[in-house]
Amino acid sequence: MIRDTSAPAAPAHPLPVLLPFRLTAPQRRFPPLRLTLLHALGIVGLGLLIAGGAHAQAGVNQLSAFGVIIKWFPLLMSGFLFNILISVLSMALGTVAGVGLGLASISLSTPLRRIAWGLTQFFRNAPWLVLLFFAMFMIPFEFRIFGVTIPFPDWVKAVIGFALPVMANMSEIVRGAVGSLPSGQWEAAESLAFSRRQTMWMIILPQCLKRMLPPWMNLYTLVTMATVQASIVGVTEMLTLIAQVHAAEGGRPDLLAPLYGFAMLCFFIYCYPIELWTRRLERRFHLHQ
Amino acid sequence: MDLVADWFRHLYDTTGINLTIVYDPYDRQRFLSGLGMTIYLSVVSIIISTIIGAIGAWAQGSPARAIRAFVNGFVVLFRNTPPLVQIFFFYFGLGQILPRVENDDGMMVQMISNVQWAIISLSLFAGAYNVEIFRSGIEAVPRTTTEAAEALGYTRLGVYRHVLLPLALRICLPALNNNLVNLLKTTTLAYAIAVPETLYVSKQIWNDSQNVPVMMTVLLIVYTALVGILVYIMNRWERFLSIPGYGQGAAR
Amino acid sequence: MAADPSVSQNEYGWTPDQPLIRLVDVHKAFGSLQVLRGVSLDVRKGEVICIIGPSGSGKSTLIRCINALIPVDSGTIRVEGQEVNDPDLDKLALRRKVGMVFQQYNLFPHRTALQNVMMAPVHVLKQNRKEVEVRARALMAKVRLQGKEDVYPGQLSGGQQQRVAIARSLAMRPDVMLFDEVTAALDPETVKEVLVTIRELAEEGMTCILVTHEMGFAREVADHVYFTDKGLIVEHGPPADFFANPKDERTKAFLGQVL
């Protein structure tokens, strides 16, 4: 999410009113998000218990929801790790392509810039799920180059499908970061006779790295959370395995909430620390500005 | 109309571009109803999620610790779990547990339909982001402005309704805009619980007519257009709300 | 002028006895706003030129045109005989001869002070890093910043940053230095330390063009003062003359306000 960084408009003059006679002790209007991981784990755990407990009395020979999760824990975890793998590969692919596209979108060549802008907008405005379908159906299941057949299994196509929106968002991040640098940096480099390429790689981009890191990390959590959509197009990942576990346990309706709750918990434990870290970087960056 | 239909049939015969949604009344009907569902989901979720955001941001400033902790927990949880799993959790998890009710035809159905669950989960998901967005807007309003309102005798709710929220809304509109566009795109996830929205009907159509590339292109264009319309509306709203001399309005 | 065989010509047929910089009838507009409406001036080697005038009179645009940061609409600008207003201009070659210091310093915040000074000679001129470092340290000493070599720009005061910026420009061994209101963003106390550095440069014979609001400084160091208003040079002359008996009404009004 792009945070609004515009400075609040300072009033031109003090408002012509009296301040309250009895000022309350200066309190922060909002306490910072001081919710720890522990709180959140508690919330999720509570949800699990309630949902699981509702039908705990259901059968005699039946495992509790908790027992089912323990029993299938290794399988579910392997599914989750596969989600992480997809997210890492998509992010790597999308980042490389996105940096290229972003640089093209600020190039001096007008046609190149227009094309890059068009591609960026197109892939940024399309829903992730539609792009995933796009990749699944439009990429052949194998490629033939110089007589060598390179197979493209579904999960590889999914990686490409997720990399498309990553690319477009990354392109915007690069363009935004370069645009946010004061123009004096360009002028100074130019007046020192740096070529455009040198200016870009030695002056501009190194300074942008810091600015790009928080939105890049934010983008990564978005990809990670999107990877579950791969189950919709038939890639076996955590949600697919949950459906299979559910079937293997006799399709009891009371198991679904705890199972999906468990999936939420896994993603939460993985993504929330990244979000906290991102915020800390953002804050530090604002201080150093 | 027949002429147009004939032309598109001719297009299919000569080029292989099979736009059944133009010349086939049945497909056209399906596609339009899917488009309508997407718009319905979007509009309703946008409204509810914005209300959630406004109320949540207000509750975050509550003196009661429990309320603040609850709102923070909601925000943190819904921002850091996959929206698709949220939808599954609600629809499969909770929907299965709730008692079934008899509908008008005497059939036993789920108390809350898949469309309703989609709206609920999409609104909560986007609402969690909106709380954060409104909060950052509120934090950007100078403390002295609130103090001035308090000095005039406004209650806490009064300050929020008449001073803080109107100013915060104008500050955070770009971020809100962004999030609502995101919400529009997220409505495609309703596909997974068989809500007949645009993606769902498109898949039915390409399964029947074997015109995947054509429908895929149509889909991408349709969503780009929908996003474009939403951005246009939001920009108009932004301009309508802008106050001369305040925030970005000052630049004009 | 008879060619003196002892005076070497450069590739543009320029000899050191001609003006180092020559502007003839330079025009520039941003959209419908006429910023320069026919400016002509000559700068000889070793001269110090000060350009003064009310804000918005085109001073900053004028010196940015000299190193082709801003393209001009018409007229000629020659730097050592090289035509700046030429689509095929080798901008990089030009900028190696012309150093520039900005109002907002524009140091590269991700490099230390010393690295800022060394970057361009190493990367642009491809000079030996060791030799450049020796020179860069000497330049840091020259601008009285010994001991600040490994400090990042963000940790320096405005005056210190501006002196690093001057050293950074000098490291390219330019033939002429452009100063664009270099003290305008500084605290009054730190203005002096920057002016001292510039005066030393001027005394060593560096050709300097300054856009400035420091009238006392202009009177003291300039060889020639130009007054611009609304994109035109209204009046110019040696500082003693210029400040003592301004002739044009606009100059009188301006000097009356600022002195």
Side-chain angles (χ1 to χ4, degrees), chain A residues 59-131:
Chain A
V60 193
N61 268 337
Q62 288 180 349
L63 276 169
S64 70
F66 192 62
V68 170
I69 290 171
I70 296 288
K71 179 176 163 195
W72 297 100
F73 187 78
L75 180 73
L76 293 175
M77 271 300 112
S78 73
F80 181 64
L81 285 180
F82 191 57
N83 283 74
I84 303 299
L85 177 72
I86 293 177
S87 73
V88 170
L89 292 177
S90 307
M91 196 65 191
L93 188 62
T95 301
V96 172
V99 169
L101 193 61
L103 289 180
S105 72
I106 48 173
S107 121
L108 286 180
S109 143
T110 310
L112 187 61
R113 207 170 52 232
R114 292 239 171 91
I115 293 170
W117 181 85
L119 279 176
T120 302
Q121 293 308 318
F122 190 70
F123 285 114
R124 223 166 66 95
N125 286 332
W128 293 53
L129 186 55
V130 172
L131 289 176

Side-chain angles (χ1 to χ4, degrees), chain A residues 192-195 198, chain C residues 96 119-127 172:
Chain A
L192 286 170
F194 282 97
S195 67
Q198 282 175 322
Chain C
R96 281 175 213 147
M119 270 178 91
V122 170
H123 295 125
V124 175
L125 302 178
K126 312 283 180 210
Q127 291 173 346
M172 294 290 280

Side-chain angles (χ1 to χ4, degrees), chain B residues 190-206:
Chain B
Y191 167 95
I193 54 172
V195 173
E197 46 70 72
T198 311
L199 178 60
Y200 190 86
V201 295
S202 298
K203 190 175 183 220
Q204 286 182 327
I205 292 170
W206 78 54

